[in-house]
Every structure is written in structure tokens, then in C-alpha cells.
Amino acid sequence: MSTSSCIGISTMKPCCGVLISCRNTSIFGFPFPKCNHPIANNLSKSQFNGNNFHTCHNKILGFRCVIDPNRRTFLASDSSWGKSRVFPSCNVDKNKPNLVIANVASDIRNHSTSAETHVNEQGFESIYIQGGFNVKPLVIERIEKGLDVGEVSRIEANGPSVNVDNLKGLNGTKNLIHEREVSAIEEEAWKLLRGAVVNYCGNPVGTVAASDPADEQPLNYDQVFIRDFVPSALAFLLNGEGEIVKNFLLHTLQLQSWEKTVDCYSPGQGLMPASFKVRTIPLDGSNGAYEDILDPDFGESAIGRVAPDCGGLFLLRAYGKLTGDYALQERVDVQTGIRLILNLCLTNGFDMFPTLLVTDGSCMIDRRMGIHGHPLEIQALFYSSLRCSREMLIVNDGTKNLVAAINNRLSALSFHIREYYWVDMKKLNEIYRYKTEEYSTDAVNKFNIYPEQIPSWLVDWMPEEGGYLIGNLQPAHMDFRFFTLGNLWSIVSSLGSPKQNEGILNLIEAKWDDLAAHMPLKICYPALECEEWRIITGSDPKNTPWSYHNGGSWPTLLWQFTLACIKMNKPELARKAVDLAEKRLSVDQWPEYYDTRSGRFIGKQSRLRQTWTIAGFLTSKMLLENPEMASKLFWDEDYELLEICVCALRKSGRKKCSRGVAKSQIHI
């Protein structure tokens, strides 16, 4: 490729290219004006080679993956597209045709493969502000496949290519790591899961939310959701296929640094996208050429404009645990991404509690369901994310204060949830006898809960043995609904005490007909009905009683349930749920959710061939067959946290330290 040409023409196989801004260059025989963009100034230090070319512009130029039928590589840009966004790219190394070299540029990333050489360098804040990175190529090993004219036409008409071969891995080779006999239902599930895979620049990067052939209005179900991809990623990892997960993690990390604006307001820098879509569009003025574009959604296009949630930290940890490839999480760009997320989550505010304050619809329940405040699901995910971060962060002078903040928050959060969210028959009777309007640091009824808030259904529903963590807690308000995901993830992450975790599974087993019935598992119990449904949901026609988020049954919860059961030495309970679901899922075409109190009907607006339903089933089956793999995904009780005092009031005499209570909780 000539260094003096603006567009490279080559006979290489179709690939992706990138235009990288620089401060000064003379590839046209004269110097360009100096660029003022800070990212461009940093990137100018990277070395020029034959696989890259540079051009100077007053903006960071948009990335396009371009392929044409003649197998010529076009490197194109559009100065009006991108808005200071930097995109990953991939080129084919002519000397090593089986290697794809991805040149990744970002304003906050240093793409070396390890953080070891940077331990003694400047702290995170200085690095982020001053920049000065030497961008190195990311090498992704995969098998290149030829692309004929017919395939290009198919892609141009139907979008990004997918792999539908259920007998082979995503790289076209047969998997031998966990080769075993599978049932016809499992084989069908694998075929559908591989059929949901989305490729970007020839590499798998995720799975679409649903592949319902009868869906005329897919809305955003044709996108790759960060949350929805987690069970798909686990299924691939447990089957020995890590490439798609690594690609997904790296590409979503790049999207973290994009501009995010909703009605002229920009949220925090560490925010991850809720989803992204690979758009394949034809190039203007080209003969059959097309381009791939990553189009993320940070909530600005979502129904109700709900804030995105993220399971990326859990998935990053799982990738290392299940593949043994810890180099990915040690990369400087990944370490920086983790710190950006933590800075966003650990920002001090007006709260007096260690729990995260969120709006309604900010978790798996992404519609109005009266969960605004401090919902259990968010706290459990927050707690596990902090534990993930503490494991993966490289401790040095730039991160030691952040690690201390993580430990303090973990300690305070675990105490708060265990002490104030837990209910069983004993606790209910205490609440029933609460005195109100207490003004004292030693108040028993700290949140001024009125005993009349105890719902009538709970009095008879609570078993003698067992209990659960309530759905929400705020001043003068306790949401006594049972939210399945929050309770299951409290077990997995050890947010609950060992005794509480055991009690949660005891309650699920005792109330099996209510929480599992014909299809496991209820997303919450009970449903909001009548006037309560009208007021709290705003008469939401999708969240009618015992449907969707309002008491619907979601088979994707199987894998979290399986993980929790294996941790608590109750695999037979998980197997019971998986066997129950296996009887119907394939026959019903893998619905997103089920309706009615017992889960007998397919959801009235449920998509079929829902990817996380398929992946959740496969992941559950593999976890039950390989419980030692499950042990790598959950957390045990962290006794060191019980030794950390977060109140800093021991010497003042103004308030008693809570550590003694916290230590006693592991025995209750």
C-alpha cells in the first residue's frame, strides 16, 4: 500500500480500515495545518506503518468497514460523521493471512497487552487528562474466509452475517473442549444461538436479542444488548469458545468513550451502552461496496429513555476465570475502563445510604413498576460489580485509594442489605410491633415504617422456614414483593449472609407452585392488580397482572437460579426447574416470557426465539454437568469485609459501630 495515496487499493481480502487523526504529516508533499483535537495530538505519537495511513483533519474521522465484490480494500472517511468518536478497525496482515490486526484508537486507551509496565506511571486522573498514548495493534487470531459476490449481496440485503452451523464453532472448526452427546432440544438451541450471532468486520461480536421470524416490528430486539448477551457469552465460554466474548468486551469498551447526549445533557464518562447495532449500509458512489457501522444506544433511543445497565464487569471476570486469559483484564485500556465505571458509581452524592439511588425501569424491569429508589436487583448487581472490580484492578499508587473506597462501600452495602432488607416470620413480627416517629440514633424503626404496610397476602404466604430480601427500602416505605433476580444474585455474590442465602432457596422450594409452577421463574411475586396496577404502572397494557414484568414467568432466570443452587449445594432443585422448562421451551419456540399466575400461556407480546431464553437454558445444562465451572462464577463469603469499619465514629462516642452486628449476621 502506497503511503502517498489517500485511498488504499489492494488485492487483500475484504477487511476494515481506519483514518487516524494526526498533528502533522506530509504524505501529499506539504504539511497540513496543525490539528487542535486533544486526541489527535496524542495519537500523533504512534508510529506510521504500511498497515495504517494518516490524514490530518480538525475532527476525529468516522470509521467504516468497507467491502466490495472485487475484494479491494477501500479506506474511507466522512468528516461529518462520528462527532469526535474513534472507532476500532481491522486490517489483514498480508504476511500472516490468518491474523487480523485491529488498530484501535481512543482518547483514554493505551492498547498494550498488559498494565505491568505502567504500574509506576502517573495516576488515573493525570493519564485521562493529559493522554499521551502510544497506540499498539490488537492482534486477534481467527480464520479468514473468502467472500464472493453473492455473499456480499446477501449481506447488503439482510444485514450482518451470522453463523447458523450448530455443529461447528464460530470460527468454523469443530469444538472439542467439551464435546459430549447432546439431546435434540440442546442441538436445536445451539443452532438457534449460533444463528443469532452478529458479525462486525468479519468477527463475531454478540448476539441479537431475538430472532423471531414473524416479528414485523423488531424495535430494538435486533440489537446486541450488553445485559442480554451475558447468558450467551457464558454458553460460548462453557463450550470453549472465547473469541466472541473477547471481541464483545473490547468493542463495548471502545463504545464507553463515545459522546452520550440526551436533550443537550451528557451523562458520566464511564457509562456503558445499553445496546448496539451493526448497521450495514452501501457506500455512496461505489459499485456494490458496503460498510459496517457500530451504532450504540446509551438510552437516548430506548423506550421510555431508561438508563442503561451493565453486566460487563461480571462478564470480564467470567472470561478470565473460564478461559485463563487474564491478560485481557490487565490491559491498560481495560483497567482504565474499569476505573471510569467505578468513578461513576462511587461518586459522592446526597445519599445517607450505601445503596444506589435509581429511577424506575433501570434494571431488568425496564418499565414503570414502582421500583424507583433503592431496588434490590440494582444493589445486588452493584455489589457483584464492586467485587469484580476489586479482583481485577491492578493495585498501585494510582488505584490504592479506589480500592479502599471499594472495600468501604462493600462493607457498608452488605451490612445495610442484610440488616434492613431481610424479612422472615421473626422480622415480620418485629415490624408488626414497630413504634413510629422515633427520633434517636438508637431508634429501632430507623426508616419510620408503618406496621400497616405489611400486605395481607404476605401474612399467610411467608413460610415458617426461610425468608427473602425485600424489593426496595426507602424512608417510610418497604416494598415487600419478592423479586427473583435480586434474591438470586444476592446468593451468587454473597450479598446476603450464608444463613439468608439458604433461607431464600428454602422459600423458593416451599413456594414452588407460586414462583415456578408450569414455567420457572416468576420475575416478581405477587402481581400488581386492580387499582394498584393502574396507579403504579400507569395502566401499562404490557404489564397487566401476571404478564411481562408484572408477575410474568421468565425462563432466562434459569441460569442464575442454577448458579445459586449449585453454590448452596442444591443442584437437584435447579435440575427440577431445568427439566420443567425443557418440556415446553422448544415446543413453544423459546418465548421471551410466559403469562398467567402459573405460567401456562406464552406471553401475549412475547418474542419467540428469544436469545437469552435459549442461552439461559444451555448455560444451565452445562453448569449442572460441570459444577466445577460454576464455582468459578460465584463468590464465597468475604470475611475480611466484616473487619472493615466504615463509620469512622468509634472514638467519637456519638454512634455505635455496626461491625459487631455485621459479624453476627453470618451466623443468623
Side-chain angles (χ1 to χ4, degrees), residues 173-191:
T173 60
K174 188 173 182 180
N175 294 302
L176 300 174
I177 297 179
H178 299 296
E179 189 173 13
R180 59 185 176 82
E181 293 293 329
V182 297
S183 65
I185 294 177
E186 288 178 81
E187 186 173 340
E188 176 194 350
W190 274 113
K191 181 178 180 179

Side-chain angles (χ1 to χ4, degrees), residues 263-517:
D263 294 335
C264 301
Y265 173 74
S266 296
Q269 294 174 337
L271 192 69
M272 300 294 288
S275 63
F276 66 85
K277 183 179 178 65
V278 179
R279 300 188 183 278
T280 304
I281 60 176
L283 269 176
D284 295 336
S286 62
N287 183 19
Y290 74 96
E291 58 181 346
D292 281 352
I293 294 176
L294 277 182
D295 185 10
D297 178 16
F298 290 90
E300 68 268 27
S301 301
I303 298 173
R305 300 301 187 263
V306 294
D309 56 13
C310 177
L313 290 174
F314 169 77
L315 192 53
L316 179 61
R317 174 183 180 267
Y319 174 83
K321 291 280 188 178
L322 296 179
T323 66
D325 178 15
Y326 292 100
L328 179 64
Q329 60 189 236
E330 293 172 355
R331 287 165 51 110
V332 172
D333 56 329
V334 176
Q335 289 285 309
T336 304
I338 295 173
R339 285 178 277 180
L340 278 173
I341 294 174
L342 290 172
N343 283 351
L344 185 65
C345 294
L346 297 176
T347 300
N348 292 327
F350 292 99
D351 281 335
M352 290 297 294
F353 313 122
T355 44
L356 281 182
L357 178 65
V358 297
T359 62
D360 213 342
S362 57
C363 53
M364 180 179 175
I365 297 177
D366 54 10
R367 299 173 76 90
R368 181 176 164 187
M369 273 288 290
I371 63 170
H372 54 278
H374 306 88
L376 175 66
E377 180 181 327
I378 288 294
Q379 314 316 320
L381 293 172
F382 179 40
Y383 186 81
S384 65
S385 295
L386 291 178
R387 294 199 67 173
C388 287
S389 301
R390 191 176 63 165
E391 286 184 34
M392 296 185 295
L393 265 181
I394 296 175
V395 182
N396 53 46
D397 291 340
T399 61
K400 62 182 181 181
N401 291 336
L402 196 55
V403 172
I406 292 173
N407 286 330
N408 288 341
R409 193 63 169 267
L410 284 170
S411 178
L413 184 58
S414 64
F415 170 77
H416 186 86
I417 297 297
R418 294 177 183 189
E419 181 72 7
Y420 304 123
Y421 277 62
W422 176 255
V423 290
D424 54 12
M425 279 300 295
K426 178 183 177 182
K427 185 67 175 182
L428 277 180
N429 205 52
E430 289 179 10
I431 297 173
Y432 182 71
R433 293 170 54 82
Y434 267 171
K435 295 179 180 179
T436 60
E437 316 302 330
E438 293 181 281
Y439 181 77
S440 170
T441 57
D442 296 323
V444 175
N445 186 4
K446 293 181 175 63
F447 295 89
N448 200 34
I449 303 298
Y450 304 118
E452 289 75 15
Q453 289 186 22
I454 299 176
S456 57
W457 64 266
L458 183 58
V459 176
D460 297 323
W461 192 76
M462 179 69 75
E464 291 296 329
E465 298 292 331
Y468 67 97
L469 297 168
I470 61 172
N472 212 329
L473 176 65
Q474 301 181 70
H477 173 66
M478 294 182 79
D479 187 344
F480 287 98
R481 287 176 291 175
F482 177 86
F483 288 87
T484 303
L485 180 56
N487 276 274
L488 292 179
W489 211 247
S490 295
I491 297 175
V492 172
S493 65
S494 286
L495 175 58
S497 70
K499 189 67 174 178
Q500 290 171 347
N501 295 339
E502 183 181 352
I504 292 170
L505 287 186
N506 288 340
L507 179 137
I508 293 176
E509 191 170 13
K511 297 299 175 181
W512 188 260
D513 290 341
D514 292 327
L515 301 177

